[in-house]
Amino acid sequence: AYHWAQTNHHEVLAGRIVASLGAYWHRSGYDREARAWVASALAGAGSFGSLLEARIELAGGLAEWDRDLLAARAHLEKAAAAFRALEQQRHLAFLLAMSAGTHISDRDGYQSAMAQCDEAIELARRVGEKPLIAQALNVRGELARVHGEDDTARAAYEEGRDLAQSAGDRAHLGILLADLGYLAEHRGEHAEAHRLTRDGLRLCMSLGRRMVAACLVSHFAGPDLAMGRPERGALLVGASDQALQVIGVERYPGCLPEHARAVEGLLATLGPDEFGRLHSQGAGLSLEDAISLAFAAADMPESLQGMPDPPLAPPEDTFGDLRPADVRVRRRGTPLPAS
């Protein structure tokens, strides 16, 4: 549809397609394609309404998120300014949180990023969508965790987890559980870190979110190292690196400090040669085989074997398509809403 619209000079239709794909690219990969389509759409943005142009900028920010945080911030800030002027609070809440998240690891910008994230949380509470609030809380937790403030991060993650669980929002619940796993690892609760990561990965795979799963597979490396299984940790890091390369994305910025610490520990324990051999062996695994290895009960503490998935409430509509609330559903044959 996009290529037909481009070939037949339907720039507005092509722009709508690009805008609607932003969340898909952010959750599924194909970033190179996304960046090319966004650049092409923005080149013809003069004929778009301000809402559509803002949505394309949002898609651009999501496409850059894991590759170039400064480029992502430039897109997101343009989109946020437009949505603020349009009084689109739902979009603005999402954008403020995502833009704040581009300051992960930016120590000088931490306080202002947290203030911006708090504005996003307050807006999301006014909108009243639990998944939207959970997303903003997750960003607050990421900022605090990477900055070394684990208590602040835990409060944000746990509130986000409870909101996502009560809304039946598996997408955010899976990520929040895995992030809580990082904090459990910081506390030395390695079996708990393994359990939380496992539950998060299960939820992500139940949604078919292979990009998130590819990242989460390497989250087991830290607990595995601490529990005397560095070989399995190295295999899973190799599998994760290869899966992310195949999907065409980089590791999430918030995961980088923990990943670097785990790899450093594996190198110190195994030595570079053995780590390299196991990493290469792991890179030959399919993602499904890597997940099976991560879940292998034979090497798990007894407390982790046979644990059920966390309970979920019936699903609540989420903001995943990032479209205005009044145009989410369209009956066949009715015209497209105005941009």
Side-chain angles (χ1 to χ4, degrees), residues 34-335:
R35 290 190 291 271
W37 288 24
V38 167
S40 178
L42 288 175
S47 60
F48 302 159
S50 55
L51 175 58
L52 179 55
E53 186 170 344
R55 291 177 57 215
I56 295 170
E57 291 283 5
L58 168 54
L62 296 177
E64 292 284 6
W65 176 257
D66 62 322
R67 184 185 76 101
D68 186 335
L69 289 177
L70 292 177
R73 189 183 307 161
H75 283 294
L76 295 171
E77 287 180 347
K78 288 179 185 177
F83 283 124
R84 195 184 290 277
L86 292 164
E87 298 183 349
Q88 292 271 355
Q89 290 195 337
R90 181 171 178 267
H91 284 69
L92 182 58
F94 178 82
L95 277 156
L96 288 173
M98 292 298 290
S99 180
T102 65
H103 291 277
I104 285 174
S105 297
D106 174 11
R107 301 196 71 82
D108 293 337
Y110 175 68
Q111 294 299 335
S112 60
M114 288 292 276
Q116 182 174 313
C117 204
D118 287 343
E119 182 186 357
I121 293 166
E122 177 58 31
L123 276 173
R125 293 193 200 281
R126 270 188 248 158
V127 172
E129 292 185 20
K130 290 179 181 179
L132 187 61
I133 305 167
Q135 178 264 341
L137 285 164
N138 184 57
V139 174
R140 191 177 205 278
E142 295 285 87
L143 288 165
R145 173 175 57 79
V146 174
H147 196 69
E149 297 186 354
D150 280 13
D151 290 344
T152 300
R154 186 174 185 177
Y157 286 150
E158 288 182 344
E159 184 184 355
R161 175 202 61 195
D162 294 345
L163 287 166
Q165 187 162 307
S166 67
D169 175 14
R170 288 176 173 262
H172 286 112
L173 180 58
I175 292 170
L176 285 156
L177 289 172
D179 286 337
L180 282 165
Y182 276 150
L183 296 183
E185 187 180 348
H186 292 183
R187 298 191 301 271
E189 299 172 7
H190 303 296
E192 176 69 357
H194 196 292
R195 181 189 70 79
L196 287 163
T197 304
R198 184 214 62 178
D199 287 344
L201 179 54
R202 244 183 212 168
L203 286 169
C204 290
M205 284 302 289
S206 76
L207 297 171
R209 295 189 64 185
R210 296 178 65 82
M211 185 176 81
V212 180
C215 191
L216 292 187
V217 160
S218 68
H219 284 213
F220 292 97
D224 274 346
L225 174 63
M227 292 191 287
R229 298 190 297 267
E231 294 82 7
R232 188 161 79 172
L235 288 168
L236 293 174
V237 169
S240 175
D241 287 348
Q242 178 64 17
L244 290 171
Q245 183 176 335
V246 168
I247 296 168
V249 296
E250 304 292 333
R251 199 171 298 281
Y252 287 121
C255 298
L256 292 175
E258 314 286 353
H259 181 74
R261 276 194 288 272
V263 170
E264 183 180 356
L266 290 169
L267 282 166
T269 301
L270 297 168
D273 292 343
E274 181 65 4
F275 174 79
R277 184 186 71 79
L278 290 165
H279 185 281
S280 296
Q281 186 177 338
L285 297 173
S286 68
L287 182 56
E288 287 75 15
D289 286 344
I291 291 169
S292 295
L293 176 63
F295 287 174
D299 292 326
M300 279 189 193
E302 188 175 342
S303 61
L304 298 183
Q305 298 181 28
M307 292 286 289
D309 285 335
L312 290 173
E316 177 181 287
D317 184 29
T318 74
F319 61 95
D321 57 10
L322 304 178
R323 288 176 288 173
D326 58 345
V327 300
R328 282 183 229 160
V329 179
R330 182 174 69 89
R331 293 185 181 277
R332 185 184 297 274
T334 59

Side-chain angles (χ1 to χ4, degrees), residues 25-36:
W25 282 321
H26 184 55
R27 293 179 172 180
S28 303
Y30 310 105
D31 288 358
R32 184 177 299 176
E33 170 192 83
R35 290 190 291 271

